[in-house]
Amino acid sequence: MSFTFGRRVAMVATAAALSVGALTATTGTASADDAVLLTTGNWVGLYKAPNTTDGKIGWHDVPPGGQVMAQCWTVGQSIGNWGDTWYRVVGADYRYGFVATPTAYVFAGYADNNASSVNRDPYIPEC
């Protein structure tokens, strides 16, 4: 009898631990990256920070018609009349499929004229 009771207690404890783990996993912060189509006709550089001063990450610029996978947007260096909004990205589509990139920043004004930044796309929140 004691063997059965101990086994049941262990099974209940295991089930409870798994339930708590699942609940914890589902209540964490969500990230829903979204693709941003490059619509302005500009080649878009992948920068180390939301400015041009720190330089690029060493990857090729993304051509017009390509896409970037944006995690969020942030305010950074202002460029001309294009504004000061930048996307933090984790991938690029050089028109043949997405490839994962190191975390980088692209200037939203050159990418899509800020169409998906500043809370215009629910899947691209402020960083």
Side-chain angles (χ1 to χ4, degrees):
M1 262 308 179
S2 65
F3 175 71
T4 304
F5 179 73
R7 186 171 167 198
R8 283 187 190 151
V9 170
M11 288 173 49
V12 170
T14 301
L18 290 173
S19 296
V20 169
L23 181 61
T24 302
T26 59
T27 59
T29 57
S31 175
D33 310 340
D34 203 7
V36 174
L37 179 64
L38 306 186
T39 58
T40 63
N42 295 310
W43 287 74
V44 175
L46 300 168
Y47 291 87
K48 295 176 185 174
N51 62 65
T52 58
T53 307
D54 291 337
K56 297 180 180 179
I57 65 168
W59 287 57
H60 294 290
D61 292 355
V62 183
Q67 300 179 71
V68 292
M69 187 59 69
Q71 289 185 313
C72 58
W73 62 270
T74 189
V75 173
Q77 177 185 1
S78 180
I79 299 177
N81 293 327
W82 294 86
D84 60 1
T85 308
W86 293 70
Y87 297 118
R88 183 172 70 201
V89 301
V90 293
D93 180 354
Y94 290 88
R95 295 190 303 198
Y96 56 79
F98 272 100
V99 293
T101 64
T103 299
Y105 293 84
V106 299
F107 183 59
Y110 283 3
D112 67 350
N113 202 19
N114 297 297
S116 297
S117 67
V118 193
N119 300 326
R120 293 182 185 112
D121 181 332
Y123 299 108
I124 305 175
E126 185 174 9
C127 297

